[in-house]
């Protein structure tokens, strides 16, 4: 009996052992953490942030009248874009330089400040806005190639609206010039004469039959003098006397403005060549034009620094101007000369602040010299 029982227990144990082996016992595992499950929403948020930033940048470019602008449909934003606000800055700065050169501008006098701001409004939003609008009007075909996002070639503003804007801005600029003459007590409407002259230059720069911009040197110099000499004259005439020596100095300084105008021509080579416009990069080729460009900018400023030192005996201002020229030369070799087409905007953003502060330095030097002479 015991033998039979023991045999039965052995059979049961073998059966139980087989059952246990037949059951696959798997170790407990923890599912691995998948970063992709988190990365997906992060990528979506990053993409949305990038798109929002791009939209904001595009809208800002639209308002400033720069490349990469948004295609706005709001008529007032389109009107502002036509005036290219980014181009107002050198004219506004030029007025401040002229005021400094007068030797009579009082920086904390409320009346002087109000007059200066009014003169800046005349030179910037009104007359520069007029210049840019009329330029866009006569450049419809070129812009359709180079900058098709612009309001006129894109069809986002009517011809009647453009023409109306031209006359409104011109009238506002000339009217403001006359009011400034009255405010300053001028016997002769000097500022009105300057505004009329500048408006005439703007017209023949853009409009046929002369269309100075198609003649290379003449067009670039007309543009350069409009950015440097004319606003300087307006600021100095408002607060002091516009003397022949300063007029000559600013006309020569405008050669640097010619160089700046050449920088702007590199981005338009394709359209200029297609329409037969002889801009300097088209006429001389990119390699020659880029050296003409930096040469006119640097040699002009070095000559002005020499005049401040030897002619006006303003050694401190001459040294400051030299210190502002050197960074420009550095950025020319770093950005502009290697590739003037790809790096034109980067170069201007880096170098032009030093150039405009050089203008102010020159204005302060002239003002100090006039004050010393009792002028």
């Amino acid at each position: 009996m015991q033998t039979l029982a023991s045999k039965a227990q052995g059979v049961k144990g073998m059966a139980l052992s087989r059952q246990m082996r037949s059951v696959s016992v798997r170790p407990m595992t923890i599912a691995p953490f998948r970063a992709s499950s988190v990365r997906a929403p992060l990528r979506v948020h990053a993409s949305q942030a990038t798109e929002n930033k791009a939209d904001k940048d595009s809208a800002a470019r639209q308002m400033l009248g720069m490349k990469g602008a948004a295609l706005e449909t709001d008529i007032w934003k389109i009107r502002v874009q036509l005036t290219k606000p980014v181009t107002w800055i050198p004219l506004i700065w030029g007025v401040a330089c002229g005021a400094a050169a007068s030797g009579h501008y009082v920086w904390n006098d409320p009346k002087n400040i109000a007059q200066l701001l009014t003169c800046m409004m005349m030179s910037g939003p009104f007359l520069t806005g007029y210049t840019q609008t009329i330029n866009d009007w006569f450049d419809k075909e070129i812009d359709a190639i180079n900058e098709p996002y612009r309001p006129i070639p894109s069809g986002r503003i009517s011809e009647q609206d453009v023409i109306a804007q031209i006359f409104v801005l011109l009238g506002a600029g000339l009217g403001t010039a006359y009011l400034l003459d009255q405010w300053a007590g001028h016997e002769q409407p000097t500022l009105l004469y300057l505004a009329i002259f500048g408006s005439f230059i703007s017209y023949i720069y853009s409009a046929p039959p002369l269309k100075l911009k198609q003649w290379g040197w003449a067009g670039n110099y007309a543009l350069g003098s409009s950015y440097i000499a004319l606003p300087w004259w307006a600021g100095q005439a408002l607060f002091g006397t516009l003397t022949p020596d300063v007029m000559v100095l600013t006309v020569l300084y405008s050669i640097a403005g010619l160089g700046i105008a050449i920088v702007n021509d590199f981005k338009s080579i394709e359209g200029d060549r297609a329409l037969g416009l002889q801009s300097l990069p088209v006429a001389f080729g990119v390699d020659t034009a880029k050296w003409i460009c930096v040469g006119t900018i640097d040699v002009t400023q070095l000559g002005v620094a020499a005049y401040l030192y030897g002619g006006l005996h303003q050694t401190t201002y001459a040294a400051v101007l030299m210190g502002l020229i050197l960074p420009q030369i550095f950025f020319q070799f770093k950005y502009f000369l290697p590739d003037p087409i790809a790096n034109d905007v980067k170069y201007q953003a880096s170098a032009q602040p030093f150039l405009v502060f050089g203008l102010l330095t020159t204005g302060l030097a002239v003002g100090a010299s006039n004050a010393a002479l009792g002028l």
Side-chain angles (χ1 to χ4, degrees):
M1 293 294 292
Q2 290 177 351
T3 305
L4 290 173
S6 63
K7 286 182 179 179
Q9 288 176 355
V11 170
K12 287 180 182 179
M14 292 174 64
L16 180 60
S17 176
R18 289 192 191 100
Q19 288 177 357
M20 291 181 67
R21 285 198 301 269
S22 67
V23 176
S24 114
V25 180
R26 296 178 181 173
M28 184 166 49
T29 59
I30 298 175
F33 175 78
R34 295 185 178 179
S36 60
S37 62
V38 176
R39 285 178 189 155
L42 287 177
R43 281 197 296 266
V44 171
H45 289 308
S47 176
Q48 290 174 345
T50 302
E51 289 177 2
N52 291 337
K53 185 178 185 299
D55 290 342
K56 290 179 181 178
D57 289 346
S58 185
R61 288 175 178 273
Q62 187 274 333
M63 291 300 293
L64 293 173
M66 298 170 66
K67 278 190 172 182
L71 295 179
E72 275 286 352
T73 56
D74 185 296
I75 186 62
W76 290 106
K77 289 184 178 180
I78 292 171
R79 289 186 182 279
V80 172
Q81 185 184 6
L82 268 178
T83 66
K84 288 189 180 178
V86 71
T87 64
W88 303 349
I89 299 170
L91 283 293
I92 291 172
W93 190 264
V95 171
C97 294
S102 71
H104 298 288
Y105 179 76
V106 181
W107 297 94
N108 60 354
D109 182 356
K111 179 183 177 182
N112 280 189
I113 293 171
Q115 289 174 323
L116 181 67
L117 293 176
T118 305
C119 192
M120 289 176 171
M121 179 69 71
M122 174 197 74
S123 298
F126 292 157
L127 292 181
T128 306
Y130 153 79
T131 298
Q132 295 297 342
T133 304
I134 200 171
N135 183 67
D136 269 27
W137 174 250
F138 287 108
D139 274 3
K140 298 188 292 290
E141 293 81 7
I142 298 176
D143 286 344
I145 300 172
N146 295 325
E147 300 177 279
Y149 65 86
R150 299 291 300 160
I152 299 175
S154 65
R156 290 177 291 119
I157 188 170
S158 68
E159 293 184 0
Q160 293 81 2
D161 284 341
V162 176
I163 293 171
Q165 177 161 318
I166 290 170
F167 282 104
V168 167
L169 291 173
L170 177 60
L174 297 181
T176 304
Y178 178 77
L179 290 175
L180 282 170
D181 280 319
Q182 299 301 307
W183 197 356
H186 291 164
E187 294 183 3
Q188 296 292 327
T190 309
L191 289 166
L192 179 60
Y193 292 156
L194 290 174
I196 292 172
F197 176 69
S199 301
F200 173 72
I201 295 296
S202 298
Y203 180 81
I204 64 174
Y205 173 79
S206 299
L210 291 178
K211 202 174 180 72
L212 294 178
K213 67 184 301 178
Q214 70 184 343
W215 298 110
W217 292 101
N220 285 322
Y221 185 75
L223 184 62
S225 61
S226 297
Y227 273 73
I228 293 178
L230 285 174
W232 182 311
W233 294 355
Q236 185 159 347
L238 179 60
F239 296 103
T241 302
L242 188 57
T243 55
D245 60 323
V246 170
M247 295 182 73
V248 171
L249 173 65
T250 51
V251 165
L252 293 176
Y253 216 136
S254 296
I255 297 174
L258 183 152
I260 297 170
I262 299 172
V263 173
N264 294 325
D265 285 339
F266 285 95
K267 69 177 183 294
S268 304
I269 291 177
E270 182 182 346
D272 291 347
R273 186 179 290 120
L275 295 173
L277 298 181
Q278 290 298 303
S279 64
L280 292 183
V282 172
F284 292 94
V286 171
D287 287 338
T288 301
K290 70 183 183 183
W291 285 105
I292 294 174
C293 176
V294 299
T296 55
I297 293 172
D298 296 343
V299 171
T300 299
Q301 293 181 94
L302 291 170
V304 172
Y307 173 70
L308 297 186
Y309 179 81
L312 298 183
H313 306 293
Q314 297 291 328
T315 55
T316 300
Y317 287 113
V320 171
L321 182 55
M322 281 296 301
L324 292 168
I325 295 170
L326 295 177
Q328 296 176 60
I329 297 174
F330 170 77
F331 287 120
Q332 287 164 2
F333 280 91
K334 182 176 181 180
Y335 295 128
F336 186 72
L337 291 172
D339 192 341
I341 298 174
N343 296 331
D344 61 334
V345 174
K346 187 180 294 186
Y347 162 68
Q348 291 190 79
S350 302
Q352 282 201 14
F354 295 99
L355 185 142
V356 297
F357 275 105
L359 278 171
L360 181 60
T361 300
T362 303
L364 291 170
V366 172
S369 177
N370 287 340
L373 296 173
L375 298 178

